[in-house]
Amino acid sequence: MAYINNNGNLILAEEFNVKHTSRAFNFGDGVFETIRIKHGKIVRFEAHYERLMKGAKAIKIKEHPEYTMDFFRDQIMALIELNQVHAGGRCKLSIDRADGGTYSPVSNQAQFLIELWPIEMDDFRLNHKGLEIDIYKEMALTKTPLSPFKTKNALFKVLASIHAESMRVDDLLLQNEKGNLIESTNSNLFIVSNGIIYTPGMDEGCIAGTMRMHIINVAVTHGIRVYECPILPQNLLSADEIFLTNAIQGVRWVGSYKTKAFRNETSKILLEWLNEETR
């Protein structure tokens, strides 16, 4: 049986319902992190914790003195042990505004929720078939002070994911109000040209992905040049490789966009380096 941790209370996942998170359910009033578990251990928790705390502050949730990095690490590790996730797993750590009120909350106090699921992958694995992608043109994703964070209000990306299904592609790239590409529905975007990696800068409005920053650091450490810059739709057709990154899947390579096919040499080596450092 799987358990969740709702504000310090262990509840069977099957018994958890909306009454426990009504502000998050009714108003999307919270922030969250999706965190990779490898070999029963938490991967890069410090980066996730830092972004979570910054996100909670950005949406005016009061800082809780007990919600330290060590506190949440201990809570997650206890849930890993209770749910017997000794290999690969996915953890979702949320901080929501305390229940009560409508648009105007009764309180700005914080509460937390930890959910945990086992996954088949322990190490990161490269997708066997390259992703087929396209561009989401129905709406633009406007940069705001909340752009770097994962908030519970994710309707834009839900609609983009539905549109990807209707187009029969694996994922769609999102554009900002200037028409520049910033990310996919669930990942940060990288392109490779002549051995150099390019990715949208934070000033473009992309999410501050923990894996994004880590990939940049790993690549630079191994002597690969990385530039943060605007990426235009036409840059896709001149790229040698395209890959997407997130904390759960690591690196996924893109096989095609329109009529252009791509290689995956950079994706392979980056994934090897990721696995080496977390074994």
Side-chain angles (χ1 to χ4, degrees):
M1 292 184 291
Y3 288 84
I4 64 155
N5 183 330
N6 181 53
N7 219 36
N9 301 309
L10 295 173
I11 304 172
L12 283 170
E14 61 190 29
E15 296 177 359
F16 183 74
N17 58 53
V18 68
K19 72 179 182 180
H20 298 109
T21 56
S22 57
R23 284 204 66 83
F25 176 81
N26 288 320
F27 306 108
D29 195 357
V31 290
F32 70 97
E33 291 289 316
T34 46
I35 304 164
R36 186 68 150 82
I37 308 300
K38 283 189 65 182
H39 308 288
K41 303 297 182 183
I42 308 168
V43 177
R44 281 181 292 281
F45 183 62
E46 183 175 353
H48 285 289
Y49 175 79
E50 180 179 340
R51 183 174 64 171
L52 184 68
M53 293 299 105
K54 287 181 178 179
K57 182 178 180 180
I59 64 172
K60 313 301 182 185
I61 292 179
K62 286 186 177 179
E63 183 177 350
H64 194 297
E66 293 184 2
Y67 290 179
T68 65
M69 186 164 60
D70 287 340
F71 170 82
F72 280 126
R73 182 185 284 113
D74 290 345
Q75 296 290 319
I76 294 171
M77 289 304 300
L79 200 61
I80 286 172
E81 187 63 30
L82 182 63
N83 287 344
Q84 300 182 30
V85 178
H86 301 305
R90 176 169 63 94
C91 174
K92 183 177 181 180
L93 171 59
S94 302
I95 291 184
D96 302 323
R97 204 179 315 272
D99 191 18
T102 53
Y103 288 136
S104 180
V106 170
S107 167
N108 289 315
Q109 297 299 319
Q111 60 184 34
F112 71 88
L113 175 68
I114 306 173
E115 302 166 271
L116 184 66
W117 303 267
I119 58 177
E120 291 183 3
M121 297 185 299
D122 198 353
D123 282 340
F124 294 113
R125 297 179 190 172
L126 192 68
N127 45 310
H128 178 69
K129 180 179 180 295
L131 302 177
E132 184 179 354
I133 64 168
D134 211 313
I135 297 174
Y136 186 52
K137 299 179 180 179
E138 305 302 303
M139 294 185 286
L141 195 58
T142 302
K143 180 188 175 185
T144 75
L146 300 182
S147 295
F149 311 113
K150 289 187 173 182
T151 71
K152 294 290 183 77
N153 186 350
L155 188 56
F156 185 103
K157 293 183 178 180
V158 170
L159 292 175
S161 298
I162 292 171
H163 198 70
E165 292 180 6
S166 72
M167 294 179 68
R168 297 183 179 180
V169 295
D170 297 301
D171 207 347
L172 289 178
L173 302 183
L174 312 180
Q175 296 176 287
N176 62 18
E177 66 275 17
K178 296 178 288 187
N180 298 341
L181 302 174
I182 55 173
E183 60 195 12
S184 81
T185 61
N186 61 12
S187 301
N188 286 109
L189 168 67
F190 292 81
I191 69 172
V192 184
S193 184
N194 296 320
I196 300 172
I197 297 176
Y198 301 88
T199 190
M202 294 305 303
D203 56 347
E204 293 291 308
C206 64
I207 195 165
T210 59
M211 184 59 74
R212 171 190 179 274
M213 197 66 247
H214 190 63
I215 285 292
I216 292 172
N217 291 335
V218 168
V220 170
T221 298
H222 286 85
I224 300 176
R225 284 184 289 170
V226 181
Y227 292 103
E228 298 180 73
C229 60
I231 294 181
L232 306 177
Q234 55 263 39
N235 296 141
L236 301 180
L237 294 174
S238 60
D240 300 317
E241 299 181 51
I242 300 174
F243 61 89
L244 307 177
T245 67
N246 63 42
I248 302 302
Q249 295 162 306
V251 176
R252 295 178 297 154
W253 68 285
V254 171
S256 64
Y257 164 67
K258 303 294 186 184
T259 59
K260 178 72 182 285
F262 302 99
R263 305 194 300 267
N264 64 4
E265 285 85 354
T266 305
S267 300
K268 284 181 180 177
I269 194 167
L270 286 170
L271 210 59
E272 288 175 6
W273 289 335
L274 287 180
N275 282 323
E276 286 174 1
E277 67 180 16
T278 53
R279 285 194 177 115

